[in-house]
Amino acid sequence: MKSFFRSNSFKVMLIVILVLSCIFILSSTTGSKTLNNFLDGILSPMAQVGVTVLGDDDISAMSKSELEEKYEALLEENKLLREQVVEYYQLEQEFSQYIDVLELTEKYIDWELEAATVISRNTSDPYLSFTIDKGIVDGISVNDAVITDLGLVGIVTEVFTYSSNVTTILSEDINIGAKSEEYQEYGVVQTYEETVVDGTLKLSYLTKETDIVKNTVITTTGSGGIFPEGLLIGKVTSLSEEEKDVSWYAVIETYVDIAGVNEVFIITDFPEKEWQSITTSEDITVDEDLTEDELESSEDLESSENVTDTADEDEGGEEQ
Amino acid sequence: MSFVKVNLNSFARYTVYIIELVVFFMIQQIPDLMPLVFGVKPILIFVFAITLALLENEAVTLIFSLFAGVLMDYSLGITIGGTAVALMIVCCVINAIVRRKISITIFSSVTVIIIGCGIMCWYLWYFYFVFRGYSYTYEALLNTYIPVWFYTSLVSPLIYILNIGILHGLEVKN
């Protein structure tokens, strides 16, 4: 063992570790991404090729039995799609009735979307962050919302030249101002202990008298300027009482299967977009000794569009 | 001529290692390329680096563990250097111990790889989850990091045997 410590290899190792540590500390303190961008330039195109190759079904290479199987599967899918078309027309009719009630406008047309493919998944992140194949050159910037046709997925937290890192809504770093359009109740969607286990989230700060029931649709409020208003987050699966205070929370199952998402859209711009940093958990503090009366009085939240901002103001008020 | 053959063999072996590292990295990163077990994928490049620490000399261990660590940092979306230094230290310690203290058998090698991967998984959990101030640390450990370690351990004998094959096939004979 002593010979190892005297060897040249050990000295080289020490020097390399020292240099690497210096780079690491320098990058951490200055926020420099030179090395990341360098690796991004090499590895992103390779990952894109991998994803493209995987995405194509080579029919000519299939055996007869495989083709038969595929044919059967397509028939089944066709049947399902026809049923969905019928359902779609029914829903369209329903929607046209609701549109007048909710005064929904054609605001979504103003969104600027960029389609992207997931090229890499973080294997060891409990909150399922991933990398997409669009970066600075495609007009992506930090805090852009990431969605699919089913609903909200997350936000862009790091942008490189040809790729970007996406933090999902399952992460503790993201709290979302959310509401039930149906019952006009507001809360904050955030992580809880079951998120890591089954991918569900919770809608916090509901009162005991909440009208929210199972299958209630939860959407974004648009507060904070990160997410546009009305983005689908998920549906309520159950309601429970908080252990630490008298408020209630709803467990939400996200519409998007975040672990399996492969194609996403990035909202690069929308009319209400404001360049604000993401609301962190530190931004929201709720008094743990909040009484039920105080909670009821917090129905002001319902009239306020910005739940997270309200929490900020409360915090500020307490400080004063 | 034998000198040329020696260098050619070494060159071929290191080239194969580089290709192997890139392929393993792609396999572990590209979605849907590897089946999920308990919702996670193994970290193949850790096994690769530790396997080289068991089979190769200090210099090769140093260089490839550094590359593997840098790739891991890049894939985690964090500042380059942290995991690279940790993996380098783990690999060099394993290399030093194995070359001087333990006789290499399949059983001892796989045991060392599993322990090494365990240390690296613990490192990721502690420094990139607990240290960041996240709340549900034990849930994350039980539902993500331990399954990752388990799955990584499961595939480690295959990578070890593959690298033994490469080493024997392209060995420099004195």
Side-chain angles (χ1 to χ4, degrees), chain A residues 1-4 7 9 12-13 16-17 20-21 23-24 27-28 32 35-36 39-41 43-44 46-47 50-51 54 118-129 131 158 160 163 165 171-173 191-194 196-197 202 259-262, chain B residues 22 25-26 28-33 36 39-43 58-59 62 66 70-85 88-89 92-93 95-97 100-101 123-124 128-129 132-136 139-141 143-145 148:
Chain A
M1 202 66 181
K2 278 179 187 170
S3 62
F4 172 70
S7 67
S9 301
V12 173
M13 187 184 92
V16 173
I17 288 174
L20 214 59
S21 303
I23 295 171
F24 177 61
S27 302
S28 301
S32 164
L35 260 174
N36 292 65
L39 285 172
D40 178 55
L43 295 169
S44 280
M46 289 168 79
V51 171
L54 269 179
V118 177
I119 55 167
S120 167
R121 247 179 239 294
N122 191 341
T123 40
S124 56
D125 181 10
Y127 296 137
L128 308 172
S129 62
T131 308
E158 256 188 313
F160 305 112
S163 70
N165 287 341
S171 171
E172 272 183 75
D173 296 330
T191 308
Y192 73 126
E193 60 268 25
E194 293 299 316
V196 186
V197 183
K202 72 171 181 180
V261 69
N262 285 329
Chain B
V22 173
F25 177 71
M26 290 297 161
Q28 83 175 33
Q29 291 304 123
I30 294 174
D32 306 334
L33 204 55
L36 302 177
V40 297
K41 288 207 283 188
I43 304 178
E58 289 97 334
L62 200 78
L66 174 70
V70 166
L71 285 180
M72 195 64 207
D73 280 325
Y74 168 75
S75 75
L76 290 169
I78 52 178
T79 314
I80 306 280
T83 316
V85 169
M88 253 173 71
I89 292 170
C92 286
V93 167
N95 182 276
I97 293 171
R100 289 163 179 83
K101 298 280 177 190
Y123 170 85
L124 290 180
Y128 297 113
F129 199 86
R132 279 186 180 181
Y134 289 141
S135 311
Y136 309 109
E139 286 84 355
L141 181 69
N143 293 284
T144 305
Y145 293 96
V148 166

Side-chain angles (χ1 to χ4, degrees), chain B residues 37-103:
Chain B
V37 172
F38 303 120
V40 297
K41 288 207 283 188
I43 304 178
L44 302 176
I45 55 177
F46 281 171
V47 183
F48 169 80
I50 296 169
T51 304
L52 287 200
L54 289 166
L55 303 174
E56 291 285 351
N57 59 37
E58 289 97 334
V60 178
T61 301
L62 200 78
I63 292 165
F64 280 96
S65 59
L66 174 70
F67 281 154
V70 166
L71 285 180
M72 195 64 207
D73 280 325
Y74 168 75
S75 75
L76 290 169
I78 52 178
T79 314
I80 306 280
T83 316
V85 169
L87 188 60
M88 253 173 71
I89 292 170
V90 167
C91 287
C92 286
V93 167
I94 286 174
N95 182 276
I97 293 171
V98 164
R99 291 183 86 82
R100 289 163 179 83
K101 298 280 177 190
I102 308 171
S103 60

Side-chain angles (χ1 to χ4, degrees), chain A residues 205-208 245-248 286 290-301:
Chain A
Y205 312 129
L206 299 174
T207 59
K208 194 180 175 182
D245 57 43
V246 294
S247 69
W248 282 61
V286 170
L290 210 64
T291 63
E292 207 162 331
D293 291 334
E294 281 172 307
L295 256 177
E296 277 171 14
S297 69
S298 74
E299 279 177 1
D300 294 346
L301 283 172

